[in-house]
């Protein structure tokens, strides 16, 4: 199909993420991808290839077309691409679950394999609500989170997304009414703010009787605003949840698998939630799969209920192709000194983005692990910013007032520098 026809059909028929119909901004057509480069069907600003600054939304941590991951999919394809998971099981899924239990914090022991991040959050919420029902406390069915979060686009996850960014006003009467604490104070290294700690303590204490769980993204809030906070607040939440009989859920769909400098963001705080959601980088960006892990306490609670099963079972649960490539991605990650790469990229981002702080219209520049963020003091002009990055040979997808990057872990120093140039160029467009 020639590129013009493809784009016309795309515009006429295909929804894109967070887009109107028909589409307002013409997407780039990607022909193939290899390493950290996206190959376009037609050159943009003279570039046939763009360096990927997004890892396809946190997922492609090993880059594209990695021989080991390709081979894992191929080998699994030769055995079976899918079988139902009800009444059947298979090695790729079992190996993956056991592996996840091994590398995640104690005492997470049980794994529900879901087919997307949003669904894994639905499952996490269902686990928590069902746990309290089973224990004869059905009134405990609300959730508490802090503002600035993002947990997915299906309805229950939406109810704990930032109420402004999540456009809750549009959904009055539809979304469950959850409890919102203020945004956690900014800064990974910032000391614990006692006033904020009191605010959290007060909310949890006052609402303990109706709270099933606290759900947060630990350390890095992703699509809700790319904000970083101190692990001290996670320790505080753990303490408060224990004291007031509330479950603690960590959504590590974005932060899992090394992105923040620890294998899981919870490791910065040295603690475990009762329920953990994983996704995005789980399959190295190859196929859609997510996981919800829980502790024996949660599983036992559910098993003691009137309906002693977790009533959830996606058709493609435990998909063997996805599980096989997830296993290969984990092998690849854990076999190498991934922390060295994250540090190296962190240093590259710090160096390359430092100059952004002096640009007019820039409010903040922050870097943590392999995540770099330039926050403007005004909304970004997405079309102009994307075009400016492309002119620098870089693929970025800014949103709101944020131009940000989370490159694949294999990104070499020169390409990290290139990505930073793209971010700087994008920051200067408006
Ligand atoms: C992306 C994301 C989700 C949703 O995952 P999908 O696979 O897009 O449904 C949920 N929580 C966080 C923190 C995310 O970054």
């Amino acid at each position: 199909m020639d590129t013009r026809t493809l784009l016309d059909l795309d515009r006429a028929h295909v929804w894109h993420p967070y887009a109107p119909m028909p589409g307002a901004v013409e997407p780039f057509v990607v022909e193939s991808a290899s390493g950290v480069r996206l190959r376009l069907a037609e050159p943009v600003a003279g570039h046939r290839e763009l360096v990927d600054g997004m890892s396809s939304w946190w997922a492609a941590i090993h880059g594209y077309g990695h021989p080991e991951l390709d081979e894992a999919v191929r080998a699994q394809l030769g055995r079976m691409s899918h079988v139902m998971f009800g009444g059947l099981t298979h090695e790729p899924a079992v190996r993956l679950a056991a592996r996840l239990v091994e590398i995640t914090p104690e005492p997470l022991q049980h794994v529900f394999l879901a087919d997307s991040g949003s669904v894994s959050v639905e499952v996490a919420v269902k686990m928590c609500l069902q746990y309290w029902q089973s224990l004869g406390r059905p009134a405990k069915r609300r959730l508490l989170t802090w503002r600035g979060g993002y947990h997915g686009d299906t309805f229950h996850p939406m109810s704990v997304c930032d109420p402004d960014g999540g456009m809750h006003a549009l959904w009055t009467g539809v979304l469950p009414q959850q409890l919102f604490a203020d945004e956690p104070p900014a800064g990974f290294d910032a000391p614990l703010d006692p006033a904020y700690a009191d605010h959290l303590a007060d909310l949890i204490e006052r609402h303990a009787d109706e709270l099933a769980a606290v759900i947060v993204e630990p350390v890095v809030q992703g699509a809700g605003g790319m904000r970083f906070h101190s692990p001290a607040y996670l320790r505080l939440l753990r303490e408060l949840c224990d004291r007031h009989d509330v479950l603690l859920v960590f959504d590590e769909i974005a932060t899992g698998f090394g992105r923040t400098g620890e294998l899981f963001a919870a490791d910065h705080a040295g603690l475990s939630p009762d329920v953990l959601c994983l996704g995005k980088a789980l399959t190295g960006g190859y196929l859609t799969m997510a996981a919800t892990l829980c502790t024996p306490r949660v599983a036992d609670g559910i098993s003691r209920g009137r309906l002693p099963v977790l009533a959830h079972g996606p058709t493609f649960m435990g998909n063997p192709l996805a599980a096989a490539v997830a296993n290969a991605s984990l092998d690849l990650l854990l076999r190498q000194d991934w922390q060295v790469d994250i540090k190296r990229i962190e240093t590259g981002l710090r160096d390359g983005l430092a100059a952004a702080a002096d640009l007019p219209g820039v409010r903040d520049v922050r870097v943590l692990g392999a995540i770099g963020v330039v926050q403007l003091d005004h909304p970004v002009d997405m079309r102009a910013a994307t075009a400016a990055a492309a002119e620098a040979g870089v693929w970025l997808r800014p949103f709101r007032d944020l131009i940000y990057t989370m490159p694949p872990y294999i990104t070499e120093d020169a390409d990290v520098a290139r990505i930073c140039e793209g971010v700087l160029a994008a920051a200067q467009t408006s």
Side-chain angles (χ1 to χ4, degrees):
M1 195 185 295
D2 70 273
T3 306
R4 195 60 257 161
T5 310
L6 186 155
L7 283 168
D8 288 346
L9 288 171
D10 183 87
R11 188 177 138 78
H13 303 299
V14 185
W15 284 106
H16 281 267
Y18 311 104
M21 179 57 67
V25 183
E26 191 158 276
F28 300 156
V29 180
V30 181
E31 201 176 68
S32 63
S34 173
V36 300
R37 283 174 162 71
L38 308 178
R39 186 169 174 78
L40 305 176
E42 273 173 13
V44 172
H47 298 286
R48 188 74 193 271
E49 292 189 334
L50 298 179
V51 176
D52 176 27
M54 302 304 292
S55 297
S56 286
W57 276 335
W58 311 85
I61 54 176
H62 307 296
Y64 302 92
H66 193 289
E68 261 182 59
L69 303 193
D70 284 5
E71 182 46 39
V73 177
R74 245 183 252 116
Q76 183 54 44
L77 192 57
R79 290 186 282 271
M80 60 190 166
S81 59
H82 186 66
V83 292
M84 63 188 282
F85 212 49
L88 301 176
T89 195
H90 46 78
E91 185 174 325
V94 174
R95 251 167 51 90
L96 177 60
R99 193 77 179 279
L100 291 176
V101 168
E102 190 186 303
I103 62 174
T104 51
E106 289 294 320
L108 297 165
Q109 284 289 323
H110 309 296
V111 184
F112 187 99
L113 294 171
D115 35 17
S116 77
S118 300
V119 172
S120 79
V121 174
E122 297 279 6
V123 170
V125 172
K126 194 180 269 191
M127 281 177 177
C128 294
L129 267 57
Q130 213 176 322
Y131 171 83
W132 291 114
Q133 266 199 15
S134 297
L135 267 61
R137 301 184 67 183
K140 282 170 79 65
R141 59 196 175 88
R142 286 184 87 186
L143 304 171
L144 182 145
T145 187
W146 46 36
R147 286 174 179 265
Y150 176 78
H151 297 283
D153 294 337
T154 57
F155 279 90
H156 240 107
M158 258 167 73
S159 76
V160 282
C161 288
D162 182 74
D164 302 325
M167 295 179 286
H168 285 206
L170 190 62
W171 298 111
T172 312
V174 177
L175 291 183
Q177 298 278 304
Q178 314 293 15
L179 284 160
F180 289 91
D182 296 339
E183 284 181 350
F188 177 78
D189 294 313
L192 186 122
D193 173 355
Y196 186 78
D198 287 347
H199 166 62
L200 278 183
D202 175 62
L203 267 180
I204 294 174
E205 186 180 341
R206 271 196 293 133
H207 295 278
D209 287 345
E210 55 171 345
L211 275 182
V214 171
I215 177 168
V216 295
E217 294 155 279
V219 178
V220 176
Q221 292 180 292
M226 299 300 299
R227 299 170 88 254
F228 310 152
H229 58 260
S230 162
Y233 296 109
L234 306 174
R235 288 189 283 269
L236 176 68
L237 283 179
R238 181 70 276 179
E239 213 179 284
L240 292 168
C241 285
D242 288 343
R243 193 182 317 149
H244 297 291
D245 236 2
V246 174
L247 295 171
L248 180 60
V249 181
F250 281 174
D251 177 350
E252 294 227 28
I253 292 166
T255 52
F257 307 105
R259 180 59 67 178
T260 67
E262 293 283 352
L263 196 52
F264 299 99
D267 297 333
H268 287 289
L271 56 77
S272 174
D274 302 295
V275 178
L276 174 69
C277 296
L278 300 173
K280 290 198 163 107
L282 174 61
T283 64
Y286 267 59
L287 286 159
T288 177
M289 178 176 261
T292 312
L293 285 80
C294 77
T295 62
R297 173 195 172 197
V298 173
D300 292 348
I302 291 168
S303 314
R304 266 183 272 133
R306 217 166 359 112
L307 182 69
V309 300
L310 185 64
H312 214 101
T315 306
F316 287 98
M317 184 168 177
N319 176 256
L321 283 177
V325 74
N327 282 318
S329 174
L330 278 171
D331 285 343
L332 189 58
L333 180 70
L334 299 175
R335 194 178 66 220
Q336 55 182 339
D337 227 341
W338 58 271
Q339 271 165 313
V340 172
D341 270 329
I342 301 292
K343 264 274 162 259
R344 179 180 62 75
I345 294 171
E346 180 170 20
T347 305
L349 292 175
R350 275 188 207 289
D351 292 349
L353 297 181
D358 300 325
L359 295 176
V362 169
R363 188 208 292 188
D364 189 42
V365 179
R366 48 188 182 266
V367 174
L368 180 70
I371 307 168
V373 184
V374 172
Q375 185 168 18
L376 308 176
D377 61 14
H378 56 275
V380 66
D381 176 341
M382 228 161 106
R383 191 193 310 239
T386 304
E391 224 159 283
V394 176
W395 168 241
L396 294 175
R397 177 77 176 163
F399 74 104
R400 272 164 42 189
D401 55 353
L402 300 160
I403 301 161
Y404 68 115
T405 175
M406 54 290 196
Y409 301 171
I410 58 160
T411 311
E412 287 172 8
D413 292 348
D415 284 332
V416 174
R418 180 93 171 259
I419 289 170
C420 291
E421 283 164 24
V423 173
L424 290 179
Q428 287 172 91
T429 50
S430 44

